[in-house]
Amino acid sequence: MAYVDDFPTDARIVRWNMLVAFTALGIGGLFGMIQGLHRTGYFRGFVSSADYYTVLTGHGVLLALVFTTFALCGLFTWGVTRSLDRPLPSARFAMTWFGLMLVGAVMAAVTILGGLVPQMPLNADVLYTFYAPMKAHPAFYAGLALFIVGSWLAGVDWFRTYWRWRGDNPDQRIPLQTFMALTTMLMWYISSAGVAVEVLVFLLPWSLGLIQQVDPLLTRTLFWYFGHPVVYFWLMPAYFIWYTVLPKLSGGRLFSDPLARVVFVLFLLLSTPVGFHHQYVDPGIPEGFKFIAMTNTMFLLLPSLLTAFTVVASMEHGARQRGGEGRLGWLRELPWDEPAFAGCALAGLMFAAGGFSGMINAGMNINYLIHNTLWVPGHFHLTVGTASALTFMAAGYWLFPQITGNRLRFRSLATIQPYVWFIGMTLMSNAMHRAGLAGIPRRTAEPQYDSITFQGVVGGVSEMRLQIAIGGTILFLGLVLFLIVIFGTWLGGSGNDSLRVNGAIPAPLSGPEHSPRILDNLKLWTAVAILLIVLAYGLPLSAMISDGLFAPGSPPIPV
Amino acid sequence: MEIHRYEKIWTAVALLLIVGLIATVTYGALGPGVKMVDDSGGTIDADSLGDTEFADPGVTKVGEDQYEVHVVARQFLFQPGTTSPIRVPANSEVTFYITSPDVVHGFEIAGTNVNTMAIPGQVAEVTVRFDEPAEYGIVCHEYCGAGHHTMAGQLVVVPEDEYDTEGS
Ligand code: HEM
Ligand SMILES: [Cu+2]
Ligand SMILES: [Cu+2]
């Protein structure tokens, strides 16, 4: 029996979330290729350089917010209902949050794309960070607000499901997948409160003319209060797949359930009090607070390093179950021709590289070298752009048959797709990193200046440009392959073949019964998380608002 | 709770790495004295820069080999920097004060450690030594509107003797 047979209504919700996610991925990826070709100067025929920023806003919002959040909602709806073995309480409630998110996302996207049509009053060329005092059309902020409220209700839905399950099972440990979904959402409630205040209290009323000015530094700080944890909102669903599905795909089982819980608790505690590391070079923030944020950031490495261990150990265990031997020889026994496995494994590998460049970003003083250069997109295309994105695609290969009841179509395309993505990203990302070291800025349509020659530390600037252009094109090709497989599977009908996927997930080697019950005390961890945030943000925020909530203020500047 | 021996070793190594990373930054701050951009520049009314030191931005000599440079970053130029280069002598210590009257900009002197944000209402303060004569490009590295990619400038470090004769 596949998931769709046991939970037909929930399967539909998962399917729709994933389909919206992958549609956003397709459009965003096309924009990515346009950017890659435009800013390197290889082809500037798609848009003018002024409209480049419309495309870039679309890329950031559609990929970093819309794609990731819908994918998370699909995966968590599946994981919560599967692991609790009960459906969401009400289909209508589920459709409400899905509908709110969809309406919000479409509103924001239409407002952004309005920037390409001069006759339309809509415009939101403010990038996905929307720093004030640059002002977008109010529909952009309203769309974002609806989108975030929808995501909050999605979390409420998973909690409701959990509480009902708890009523029937008062003494059991929270199943691992549900535990991961709930801790992720607690982190999300705490952190997205920052952007909600930024948008609802400041930017939306200000863009409507209800208040005259806002404080650029305060709103920016509220953004980054949310802007780092959102990174973990992208990553935690990928970790969720790595912990609970990847070991099975490798042919084995998870090493340790208790450590998986520890890792998610650490993310809940440490994801938020670090946001100042995005503001290392901002004026107006005392050095001491930057230092505290840096210390927390470094400790936030720990759960990711622990994850690296578990992922590799679980894969090795799987490979040895399949007959793998030797110190590294076991690697050969892994199912590299299985797209779901290959996607997750390659995503994990790239994440390791992304982790290294992230340590550079986090080093408060080394950050001077690379702040706002191409190094930064080089880094996060390895993390969110591959660790998350490729894992979600890989999960799609495994999950789509189970949520549609259809066999995976175009299997051979699916088999090569993760490798295509990997090659494209290797080219694009290494060149972006090196270009950043040479000082080439990010977020720029034409990083070629009359008065400046950038000097590469390793390699020449024209060679980097070529790699970015080719890498971006290969990535887009990889995306097209993926979309053919997924939409082909969805539309392909079930035929008469039986499914080849087995959705059962084996129990971990070391189960939750070996861990202290306090790990499941969500109230306690939430309280500690809030305490850490008060320590990191209390003083700097109160200093910023001591001269008035809206001062030093700036009136809106339309783009 | 049972933890595998390898996992214990791994965790210990991870913690060592973390503490090591924090130590290098601490050393950078205490040893070579790498200073972060902070709140020392103070706040300012972005609407009336005309009433401040930024009314007539540029280079001022404040001591033996010490200079201050006020820079206004605005859509889409640096004043000074874009229409005429910022000129300072070699062998000097230069403190930049940077602010913006409109949107957020970036101020990066390519090839140096000078890299800061220009945020309306805030003044960024950055001090740097220039030992040798050289020419540097200045880039706005924060998106600031449709003309963002045109926003750049120049800094020229001239030989000391030339600087004195021609003035600033
Ligand atoms: C076809 C694949 C992709 C290509 C070719 C691509 C290309 C690019 C390029 C060239 C930039 C830099 C633009 C600039 O700074 O001027 C960029 C920025 C960015 N990309 Fe991608 N990308 C791809 C996929 C992704 C994915 C899957 C994600 C996330 C899930 C992502 C997230 C971002 C974000 C958040 C930015 C920064 C936007 C900003 O600075 O406002 N990209 N991308
Ligand atoms: Cu961050
Ligand atoms: Cu700019």
Side-chain angles (χ1 to χ4, degrees), chain A residues 53 125 131 133-134 259 280-285 287 290 298 305-306 364 368 371-372 439 443-444 449 452 514 557, chain B residues 1 7 10-11 18 25 35-39 102 108 115-117 120 122 137 139 141-145 148-149 152:
Chain A
Y53 305 103
D125 297 347
Y131 295 139
M134 209 176 255
L259 273 165
Y280 280 152
V281 307
D282 276 15
I285 301 166
E287 183 163 4
K290 295 178 176 174
M298 294 298 183
L305 288 167
L306 291 177
M364 192 159 87
Y368 272 132
H371 174 77
N372 264 359
R443 298 185 147 180
T444 295
Y449 305 89
I452 306 170
H514 299 296
I557 297 186
Chain B
M1 185 160 120
E7 192 146 23
W10 177 261
T11 310
I18 289 167
V25 175
K35 192 176 164 319
M36 297 308 298
V37 178
D38 61 10
D39 59 345
D102 44 44
E108 176 196 357
N115 185 331
T116 187
M117 308 307 299
Q122 309 288 332
V139 196
H141 63 35
E142 185 54 87
Y143 166 65
C144 54
H148 163 58
H149 46 274

Short mmCIF file of all heavy atoms in Angstrom, two decimals, chain A residues 53 125 131 133-134 259 280-285 287 290 298 305-306 364 368 371-372 439 443-444 449 452 514 557, chain B residues 1 7 10-11 18 25 35-39 102 108 115-117 120 122 137 139 141-145 148-149 152:
data_model
loop_
_atom_site.label_atom_id
_atom_site.label_comp_id
_atom_site.label_asym_id
_atom_site.label_seq_id
_atom_site.Cartn_x
_atom_site.Cartn_y
_atom_site.Cartn_z
N TYR A 53 17.29 43.62 -12.03
CA TYR A 53 16.96 43.55 -10.61
C TYR A 53 15.54 43.04 -10.38
O TYR A 53 15.24 42.52 -9.31
CB TYR A 53 17.21 44.91 -9.95
CG TYR A 53 18.63 45.36 -10.20
CD1 TYR A 53 18.93 46.34 -11.15
CD2 TYR A 53 19.69 44.74 -9.55
CE1 TYR A 53 20.23 46.72 -11.42
CE2 TYR A 53 21.00 45.11 -9.81
CZ TYR A 53 21.27 46.10 -10.75
OH TYR A 53 22.56 46.45 -11.03
N ASP A 125 11.02 45.95 -7.18
CA ASP A 125 12.43 45.66 -7.43
C ASP A 125 13.27 45.90 -6.18
O ASP A 125 14.18 46.73 -6.18
CB ASP A 125 12.97 46.56 -8.56
CG ASP A 125 12.27 46.30 -9.86
OD1 ASP A 125 11.57 45.28 -9.96
OD2 ASP A 125 12.41 47.12 -10.79
N TYR A 131 15.29 45.90 1.75
CA TYR A 131 15.77 46.89 2.72
C TYR A 131 15.08 48.23 2.53
O TYR A 131 15.11 48.80 1.44
CB TYR A 131 17.28 47.13 2.52
CG TYR A 131 18.17 45.94 2.78
CD1 TYR A 131 19.25 45.68 1.94
CD2 TYR A 131 17.97 45.10 3.87
CE1 TYR A 131 20.10 44.61 2.17
CE2 TYR A 131 18.80 44.04 4.11
CZ TYR A 131 19.87 43.79 3.26
OH TYR A 131 20.70 42.74 3.49
N PRO A 133 15.11 52.26 3.00
CA PRO A 133 13.89 52.94 2.53
C PRO A 133 13.53 52.69 1.07
O PRO A 133 12.71 53.44 0.52
CB PRO A 133 14.24 54.41 2.75
CG PRO A 133 15.71 54.49 2.64
CD PRO A 133 16.25 53.18 3.10
N MET A 134 14.09 51.67 0.44
CA MET A 134 13.64 51.37 -0.90
C MET A 134 12.25 50.76 -0.78
O MET A 134 12.03 49.89 0.05
CB MET A 134 14.61 50.34 -1.47
CG MET A 134 14.75 50.41 -2.93
SD MET A 134 15.99 49.21 -3.35
CE MET A 134 17.33 50.27 -3.70
N LEU A 259 20.52 11.17 18.84
CA LEU A 259 21.36 12.27 18.38
C LEU A 259 20.62 13.13 17.37
O LEU A 259 20.84 14.35 17.31
CB LEU A 259 22.66 11.74 17.82
CG LEU A 259 23.68 11.59 18.96
CD1 LEU A 259 24.85 10.75 18.54
CD2 LEU A 259 24.16 12.96 19.43
N TYR A 280 27.78 42.27 10.20
CA TYR A 280 29.13 42.52 10.71
C TYR A 280 29.64 43.89 10.28
O TYR A 280 30.34 44.55 11.03
CB TYR A 280 30.10 41.45 10.18
CG TYR A 280 30.07 40.13 10.90
CD1 TYR A 280 30.42 38.96 10.23
CD2 TYR A 280 29.74 40.02 12.25
CE1 TYR A 280 30.43 37.73 10.86
CE2 TYR A 280 29.75 38.79 12.90
CZ TYR A 280 30.09 37.65 12.20
OH TYR A 280 30.10 36.44 12.83
N VAL A 281 29.36 44.31 9.06
CA VAL A 281 29.92 45.58 8.60
C VAL A 281 28.88 46.70 8.60
O VAL A 281 29.07 47.73 7.96
CB VAL A 281 30.61 45.47 7.22
CG1 VAL A 281 31.63 44.35 7.21
CG2 VAL A 281 29.60 45.27 6.11
N ASP A 282 27.77 46.52 9.33
CA ASP A 282 26.80 47.61 9.45
C ASP A 282 27.27 48.61 10.50
O ASP A 282 27.69 48.22 11.59
CB ASP A 282 25.45 47.06 9.94
CG ASP A 282 24.62 46.52 8.80
OD1 ASP A 282 25.17 46.32 7.71
OD2 ASP A 282 23.42 46.29 9.03
N PRO A 283 27.15 49.90 10.21
CA PRO A 283 27.35 50.89 11.27
C PRO A 283 26.16 50.85 12.23
O PRO A 283 25.13 50.28 11.90
CB PRO A 283 27.38 52.22 10.51
CG PRO A 283 26.60 51.96 9.26
CD PRO A 283 26.82 50.51 8.92
N GLY A 284 26.34 51.43 13.41
CA GLY A 284 25.21 51.56 14.33
C GLY A 284 25.04 50.37 15.26
O GLY A 284 24.14 50.37 16.09
N ILE A 285 25.88 49.33 15.13
CA ILE A 285 25.76 48.17 16.01
C ILE A 285 27.10 47.96 16.72
O ILE A 285 28.12 47.77 16.06
CB ILE A 285 25.38 46.91 15.21
CG1 ILE A 285 24.05 47.15 14.49
CG2 ILE A 285 25.30 45.70 16.13
CD1 ILE A 285 23.77 46.13 13.44
N GLU A 287 30.37 46.59 18.55
CA GLU A 287 31.17 45.42 18.21
C GLU A 287 30.85 44.22 19.11
O GLU A 287 30.84 43.08 18.66
CB GLU A 287 32.66 45.79 18.31
CG GLU A 287 33.58 44.66 17.91
CD GLU A 287 35.00 45.14 17.61
OE1 GLU A 287 35.28 46.34 17.79
OE2 GLU A 287 35.81 44.31 17.20
N LYS A 290 28.14 42.03 17.92
CA LYS A 290 28.57 41.26 16.75
C LYS A 290 29.38 40.06 17.21
O LYS A 290 29.27 38.97 16.66
CB LYS A 290 29.40 42.14 15.82
CG LYS A 290 28.59 43.29 15.22
CD LYS A 290 29.39 44.20 14.33
CE LYS A 290 28.47 45.25 13.70
NZ LYS A 290 29.19 46.27 12.93
N MET A 298 29.28 30.14 15.60
CA MET A 298 30.26 29.06 15.56
C MET A 298 29.70 27.82 16.24
O MET A 298 29.88 26.70 15.76
CB MET A 298 31.56 29.50 16.22
CG MET A 298 32.29 30.62 15.46
SD MET A 298 32.79 30.12 13.80
CE MET A 298 33.66 31.58 13.25
N LEU A 305 27.78 19.61 11.99
CA LEU A 305 28.88 18.65 11.99
C LEU A 305 28.40 17.29 12.48
O LEU A 305 28.79 16.25 11.95
CB LEU A 305 30.04 19.18 12.84
CG LEU A 305 30.80 20.35 12.20
CD1 LEU A 305 31.71 21.03 13.22
CD2 LEU A 305 31.62 19.89 11.02
N LEU A 306 27.52 17.30 13.49
CA LEU A 306 26.98 16.02 13.98
C LEU A 306 26.17 15.34 12.88
O LEU A 306 26.21 14.12 12.71
CB LEU A 306 26.09 16.25 15.20
CG LEU A 306 26.81 16.70 16.48
CD1 LEU A 306 25.81 16.95 17.60
CD2 LEU A 306 27.83 15.65 16.92
N MET A 364 34.27 36.87 11.91
CA MET A 364 33.88 38.28 11.90
C MET A 364 34.86 39.15 11.12
O MET A 364 34.46 40.04 10.38
CB MET A 364 33.80 38.72 13.35
CG MET A 364 33.16 40.02 13.59
SD MET A 364 32.61 40.06 15.30
CE MET A 364 34.07 40.64 16.12
N TYR A 368 35.25 40.78 6.22
CA TYR A 368 35.55 42.01 5.48
C TYR A 368 35.92 41.72 4.03
O TYR A 368 35.63 42.48 3.12
CB TYR A 368 36.77 42.71 6.10
CG TYR A 368 36.44 43.67 7.21
CD1 TYR A 368 37.13 43.62 8.40
CD2 TYR A 368 35.47 44.65 7.05
CE1 TYR A 368 36.87 44.51 9.43
CE2 TYR A 368 35.21 45.54 8.07
CZ TYR A 368 35.90 45.47 9.25
OH TYR A 368 35.63 46.36 10.25
N HIS A 371 32.37 40.18 2.24
CA HIS A 371 31.02 40.70 2.44
C HIS A 371 30.45 41.30 1.16
O HIS A 371 31.08 42.15 0.54
CB HIS A 371 31.03 41.75 3.56
CG HIS A 371 29.70 42.42 3.73
ND1 HIS A 371 28.65 41.82 4.38
CD2 HIS A 371 29.23 43.61 3.28
CE1 HIS A 371 27.60 42.63 4.34
NE2 HIS A 371 27.92 43.71 3.69
N ASN A 372 29.25 40.86 0.80
CA ASN A 372 28.55 41.37 -0.39
C ASN A 372 29.29 41.16 -1.70
O ASN A 372 29.02 41.83 -2.68
CB ASN A 372 28.19 42.85 -0.23
CG ASN A 372 26.76 43.01 0.26
OD1 ASN A 372 26.06 42.02 0.46
ND2 ASN A 372 26.32 44.23 0.43
N GLY A 439 36.96 40.44 -5.25
CA GLY A 439 36.25 41.67 -4.93
C GLY A 439 35.06 41.97 -5.83
O GLY A 439 34.45 43.04 -5.72
N ARG A 443 24.83 40.91 -6.75
CA ARG A 443 23.64 41.73 -6.99
C ARG A 443 23.92 42.87 -7.95
O ARG A 443 23.53 44.01 -7.72
CB ARG A 443 23.14 42.34 -5.68
CG ARG A 443 22.72 41.32 -4.68
CD ARG A 443 22.14 41.97 -3.46
NE ARG A 443 21.10 41.13 -2.90
CZ ARG A 443 20.41 41.43 -1.83
NH1 ARG A 443 20.63 42.53 -1.18
NH2 ARG A 443 19.47 40.62 -1.40
N THR A 444 24.62 42.60 -9.02
CA THR A 444 25.02 43.64 -9.94
C THR A 444 24.83 43.15 -11.37
O THR A 444 25.32 42.07 -11.71
CB THR A 444 26.48 44.03 -9.69
OG1 THR A 444 26.58 44.60 -8.39
CG2 THR A 444 26.98 45.03 -10.68
N TYR A 449 33.58 47.74 -14.45
CA TYR A 449 33.67 49.18 -14.22
C TYR A 449 34.89 49.73 -14.95
O TYR A 449 35.93 49.07 -15.01
CB TYR A 449 33.80 49.50 -12.73
CG TYR A 449 32.70 48.90 -11.89
CD1 TYR A 449 32.82 47.62 -11.36
CD2 TYR A 449 31.55 49.62 -11.63
CE1 TYR A 449 31.81 47.07 -10.60
CE2 TYR A 449 30.53 49.08 -10.86
CZ TYR A 449 30.66 47.80 -10.35
OH TYR A 449 29.66 47.26 -9.59
N ILE A 452 37.98 50.20 -12.56
CA ILE A 452 38.42 49.13 -11.66
C ILE A 452 38.78 47.87 -12.43
O ILE A 452 38.04 47.44 -13.30
CB ILE A 452 37.29 48.76 -10.67
CG1 ILE A 452 36.80 50.01 -9.95
CG2 ILE A 452 37.77 47.72 -9.68
CD1 ILE A 452 35.56 49.77 -9.16
N HIS A 514 16.53 4.99 24.17
CA HIS A 514 17.84 5.16 24.79
C HIS A 514 18.15 6.59 25.18
O HIS A 514 19.25 6.89 25.61
CB HIS A 514 18.94 4.68 23.83
CG HIS A 514 18.82 3.25 23.47
ND1 HIS A 514 18.95 2.25 24.39
CD2 HIS A 514 18.54 2.65 22.29
CE1 HIS A 514 18.77 1.09 23.79
NE2 HIS A 514 18.51 1.30 22.52
N ILE A 557 11.43 55.54 -0.68
CA ILE A 557 12.02 55.92 -1.97
C ILE A 557 11.61 54.86 -2.98
O ILE A 557 12.07 53.72 -2.91
CB ILE A 557 13.55 56.03 -1.85
CG1 ILE A 557 13.87 57.15 -0.85
CG2 ILE A 557 14.17 56.28 -3.21
CD1 ILE A 557 15.30 57.49 -0.72
N MET B 1 22.08 7.65 27.82
CA MET B 1 22.08 7.67 26.35
C MET B 1 23.41 7.14 25.85
O MET B 1 24.47 7.56 26.30
CB MET B 1 21.89 9.12 25.91
CG MET B 1 21.74 9.30 24.46
SD MET B 1 20.96 10.92 24.17
CE MET B 1 22.22 11.71 23.22
N GLU B 7 31.60 8.58 17.40
CA GLU B 7 30.79 9.80 17.43
C GLU B 7 31.26 10.72 18.55
O GLU B 7 31.24 11.94 18.40
CB GLU B 7 29.32 9.43 17.61
CG GLU B 7 28.40 10.60 17.37
CD GLU B 7 27.09 10.20 16.75
OE1 GLU B 7 26.70 9.03 16.90
OE2 GLU B 7 26.45 11.06 16.12
N TRP B 10 34.34 12.41 17.22
CA TRP B 10 33.93 13.42 16.22
C TRP B 10 33.40 14.67 16.92
O TRP B 10 33.75 15.80 16.55
CB TRP B 10 32.87 12.81 15.31
CG TRP B 10 32.32 13.75 14.30
CD1 TRP B 10 31.14 14.43 14.39
CD2 TRP B 10 32.90 14.13 13.05
NE1 TRP B 10 30.95 15.20 13.28
CE2 TRP B 10 32.01 15.04 12.44
CE3 TRP B 10 34.08 13.79 12.38
CZ2 TRP B 10 32.27 15.61 11.19
CZ3 TRP B 10 34.33 14.36 11.14
CH2 TRP B 10 33.43 15.26 10.56
N THR B 11 32.56 14.49 17.93
CA THR B 11 32.00 15.64 18.63
C THR B 11 33.10 16.45 19.29
O THR B 11 33.09 17.69 19.24
CB THR B 11 30.98 15.16 19.68
OG1 THR B 11 30.08 14.25 19.05
CG2 THR B 11 30.20 16.30 20.26
N ILE B 18 35.39 24.56 16.68
CA ILE B 18 34.57 25.73 16.98
C ILE B 18 35.33 26.69 17.89
O ILE B 18 35.43 27.89 17.62
CB ILE B 18 33.24 25.28 17.62
CG1 ILE B 18 32.38 24.60 16.55
CG2 ILE B 18 32.52 26.44 18.27
CD1 ILE B 18 31.20 23.85 17.09
N VAL B 25 39.43 34.63 15.71
CA VAL B 25 38.83 35.95 15.58
C VAL B 25 39.20 36.83 16.78
O VAL B 25 39.52 38.01 16.63
CB VAL B 25 37.30 35.85 15.43
CG1 VAL B 25 36.67 37.22 15.41
CG2 VAL B 25 36.95 35.09 14.17
N LYS B 35 39.57 45.98 13.70
CA LYS B 35 38.44 46.60 14.38
C LYS B 35 37.20 46.47 13.50
O LYS B 35 37.28 46.59 12.29
CB LYS B 35 38.77 48.08 14.60
CG LYS B 35 37.83 48.79 15.55
CD LYS B 35 38.33 50.22 15.76
CE LYS B 35 37.26 51.13 16.37
NZ LYS B 35 35.92 50.98 15.86
N MET B 36 36.08 46.18 14.11
CA MET B 36 34.85 46.08 13.33
C MET B 36 34.22 47.45 13.16
O MET B 36 34.36 48.32 14.03
CB MET B 36 33.84 45.17 14.05
CG MET B 36 34.27 43.74 14.22
SD MET B 36 34.83 42.97 12.70
CE MET B 36 33.34 43.04 11.71
N VAL B 37 33.52 47.65 12.05
CA VAL B 37 32.66 48.82 11.93
C VAL B 37 31.66 48.72 13.07
O VAL B 37 31.11 47.66 13.33
CB VAL B 37 31.89 48.77 10.59
CG1 VAL B 37 30.97 49.96 10.48
CG2 VAL B 37 32.84 48.70 9.43
N ASP B 38 31.46 49.81 13.80
CA ASP B 38 30.51 49.72 14.92
C ASP B 38 29.70 51.00 15.03
O ASP B 38 29.49 51.69 14.03
CB ASP B 38 31.24 49.38 16.21
CG ASP B 38 32.27 50.44 16.58
OD1 ASP B 38 32.25 51.52 15.94
OD2 ASP B 38 33.06 50.21 17.50
N ASP B 39 29.25 51.35 16.23
CA ASP B 39 28.36 52.51 16.34
C ASP B 39 29.12 53.80 16.62
O ASP B 39 28.52 54.81 16.95
CB ASP B 39 27.32 52.26 17.45
CG ASP B 39 27.98 51.99 18.80
OD1 ASP B 39 29.20 51.71 18.81
OD2 ASP B 39 27.29 52.07 19.82
N ASP B 102 19.76 58.73 0.84
CA ASP B 102 18.59 58.10 0.23
C ASP B 102 18.42 56.65 0.66
O ASP B 102 17.80 56.38 1.67
CB ASP B 102 18.62 58.25 -1.31
CG ASP B 102 19.98 57.99 -1.93
OD1 ASP B 102 20.63 57.01 -1.55
OD2 ASP B 102 20.39 58.77 -2.83
N GLU B 108 32.96 49.67 -0.83
CA GLU B 108 34.04 48.70 -0.81
C GLU B 108 35.20 49.28 -1.61
O GLU B 108 35.03 49.66 -2.76
CB GLU B 108 33.59 47.39 -1.47
CG GLU B 108 34.71 46.36 -1.58
CD GLU B 108 34.40 45.22 -2.57
OE1 GLU B 108 33.29 45.19 -3.13
OE2 GLU B 108 35.29 44.39 -2.78
N ASN B 115 35.32 47.80 3.73
CA ASN B 115 34.10 47.19 3.24
C ASN B 115 33.03 47.48 4.26
O ASN B 115 33.04 46.95 5.37
CB ASN B 115 34.35 45.67 3.10
CG ASN B 115 33.18 44.95 2.48
OD1 ASN B 115 32.03 45.37 2.62
ND2 ASN B 115 33.47 43.85 1.80
N THR B 116 32.11 48.39 3.93
CA THR B 116 31.10 48.74 4.91
C THR B 116 29.80 49.10 4.22
O THR B 116 29.75 49.23 3.00
CB THR B 116 31.57 49.89 5.82
OG1 THR B 116 30.61 50.09 6.86
CG2 THR B 116 31.72 51.18 5.04
N MET B 117 28.75 49.24 5.01
CA MET B 117 27.46 49.64 4.48
C MET B 117 27.26 51.13 4.75
O MET B 117 27.71 51.64 5.77
CB MET B 117 26.32 48.87 5.15
CG MET B 117 26.47 47.36 5.15
SD MET B 117 26.77 46.63 3.54
CE MET B 117 25.29 47.13 2.70
N PRO B 120 21.16 55.02 5.62
CA PRO B 120 20.60 56.32 5.96
C PRO B 120 20.37 56.43 7.46
O PRO B 120 19.85 55.49 8.07
CB PRO B 120 19.26 56.35 5.20
CG PRO B 120 19.36 55.31 4.16
CD PRO B 120 20.35 54.30 4.63
N GLN B 122 22.72 56.53 9.71
CA GLN B 122 23.90 56.06 10.44
C GLN B 122 25.16 56.56 9.74
O GLN B 122 25.17 56.73 8.52
CB GLN B 122 23.95 54.53 10.48
CG GLN B 122 22.69 53.85 10.93
CD GLN B 122 22.43 54.03 12.42
OE1 GLN B 122 23.35 54.18 13.20
NE2 GLN B 122 21.16 54.03 12.80
N GLY B 137 39.84 51.09 -6.89
CA GLY B 137 38.45 51.32 -7.31
C GLY B 137 37.54 51.24 -6.10
O GLY B 137 37.78 50.49 -5.17
N VAL B 139 33.59 50.47 -5.08
CA VAL B 139 32.37 49.88 -5.64
C VAL B 139 31.23 50.03 -4.65
O VAL B 139 31.42 49.82 -3.45
CB VAL B 139 32.55 48.36 -5.89
CG1 VAL B 139 31.46 47.84 -6.80
CG2 VAL B 139 33.91 48.05 -6.43
N HIS B 141 28.53 48.01 -3.36
CA HIS B 141 28.22 46.58 -3.47
C HIS B 141 26.90 46.24 -2.81
O HIS B 141 26.65 45.10 -2.48
CB HIS B 141 29.37 45.72 -2.95
CG HIS B 141 29.65 45.91 -1.49
ND1 HIS B 141 28.66 46.16 -0.57
CD2 HIS B 141 30.81 45.87 -0.80
CE1 HIS B 141 29.21 46.27 0.62
NE2 HIS B 141 30.51 46.10 0.51
N GLU B 142 26.05 47.24 -2.59
CA GLU B 142 24.68 46.91 -2.17
C GLU B 142 23.74 47.47 -3.21
O GLU B 142 23.88 48.62 -3.64
CB GLU B 142 24.37 47.47 -0.79
CG GLU B 142 23.00 47.04 -0.25
CD GLU B 142 22.81 45.53 -0.23
OE1 GLU B 142 23.20 44.87 0.75
OE2 GLU B 142 22.28 45.00 -1.23
N TYR B 143 22.78 46.65 -3.62
CA TYR B 143 21.81 47.07 -4.61
C TYR B 143 21.09 48.33 -4.13
O TYR B 143 20.58 48.37 -3.02
CB TYR B 143 20.81 45.95 -4.85
CG TYR B 143 19.59 46.38 -5.59
CD1 TYR B 143 19.70 46.82 -6.91
CD2 TYR B 143 18.34 46.38 -5.00
CE1 TYR B 143 18.58 47.24 -7.60
CE2 TYR B 143 17.21 46.79 -5.68
CZ TYR B 143 17.34 47.23 -6.98
OH TYR B 143 16.24 47.64 -7.66
N CYS B 144 21.09 49.37 -4.98
CA CYS B 144 20.54 50.65 -4.55
C CYS B 144 19.59 51.25 -5.57
O CYS B 144 19.25 52.42 -5.48
CB CYS B 144 21.69 51.61 -4.23
SG CYS B 144 22.85 51.77 -5.60
N GLY B 145 19.17 50.45 -6.56
CA GLY B 145 18.24 50.97 -7.56
C GLY B 145 18.71 50.62 -8.96
O GLY B 145 19.76 49.98 -9.13
N HIS B 148 22.33 50.88 -10.08
CA HIS B 148 23.30 50.38 -9.11
C HIS B 148 24.63 49.99 -9.75
O HIS B 148 25.71 50.31 -9.23
CB HIS B 148 22.69 49.20 -8.37
CG HIS B 148 23.66 48.33 -7.65
ND1 HIS B 148 24.49 48.82 -6.69
CD2 HIS B 148 23.93 47.01 -7.75
CE1 HIS B 148 25.24 47.83 -6.22
NE2 HIS B 148 24.92 46.72 -6.86
N HIS B 149 24.56 49.31 -10.91
CA HIS B 149 25.81 48.81 -11.51
C HIS B 149 26.68 49.93 -12.07
O HIS B 149 27.79 49.66 -12.52
CB HIS B 149 25.49 47.80 -12.61
CG HIS B 149 24.40 48.25 -13.53
ND1 HIS B 149 23.07 48.04 -13.25
CD2 HIS B 149 24.45 48.93 -14.69
CE1 HIS B 149 22.34 48.57 -14.22
NE2 HIS B 149 23.14 49.12 -15.10
N ALA B 152 30.26 53.65 -8.96
CA ALA B 152 31.64 53.31 -8.63
C ALA B 152 32.45 54.59 -8.51
O ALA B 152 31.97 55.66 -8.87
CB ALA B 152 32.23 52.41 -9.72
#
